[in-house]
Amino acid sequence: MSDLGDVLTGAGLVGLGAGAAAATHDAYGGAMMTVAGLLAVLGAQEADKAAAWRLADIAAMRALLGDEAPATGEGRTLTELDEAWARLSRALIAHHVGVAPQSEEDRAILAFYRESTGRRELVWPQ
């Protein structure tokens, strides 16, 4: 995990504990601390894999689209990766509309959607 992820995880765990403690005498304040803690823990997970899932999706969408893949920037910031991801995603969705249902290509695109969702999954703290 990155330093940011470690900080967010620590802040999240403290927030969750403080929220539970505060809720005994201030329900609203305790709930807000709990929500802040949850958001920090989920943010830590995203910080840890933010670039990785975007890069994996971009490569997979380019492979699925082949020569039809639109040109995208090669930046490495999350903003640049999000722009490339969005452009390729729109192209893949438009391409998928014209694919024959139940075809091998259709199954490959649906498999990509499932894999992409799995890469972006955030685990709710217990």
Side-chain angles (χ1 to χ4, degrees):
M1 185 170 282
S2 69
D3 290 341
L4 175 60
D6 290 338
V7 169
L8 287 172
T9 297
L13 294 175
V14 169
L16 289 170
T24 61
H25 58 81
D26 178 4
Y28 180 78
M32 293 301 101
M33 282 300 299
T34 299
V35 168
L38 287 169
L39 291 174
V41 170
L42 295 173
Q45 292 177 47
E46 176 60 17
D48 189 45
K49 59 185 178 182
W53 76 256
R54 287 164 173 86
L55 289 168
D57 273 13
I58 287 167
M61 287 188 283
R62 282 187 177 138
L64 287 166
L65 289 166
D67 292 339
E68 292 181 36
T72 60
E74 297 300 321
R76 292 292 182 240
T77 68
L78 291 181
T79 300
E80 292 166 330
L81 291 172
D82 281 343
E83 289 170 2
W85 187 93
R87 185 171 181 146
L88 287 161
S89 180
R90 286 189 300 272
L92 183 61
I93 291 167
H95 174 77
H96 193 197
V97 168
V99 170
Q102 305 297 320
S103 66
E104 187 174 324
E105 187 175 12
D106 179 54
R107 286 190 291 277
I109 293 170
L110 293 174
F112 162 75
Y113 292 151
R114 286 188 297 275
E115 293 162 5
S116 174
T117 300
R119 283 190 278 273
R120 292 179 275 145
E121 181 178 18
L122 299 177
V123 179
W124 195 258
Q126 301 284 333

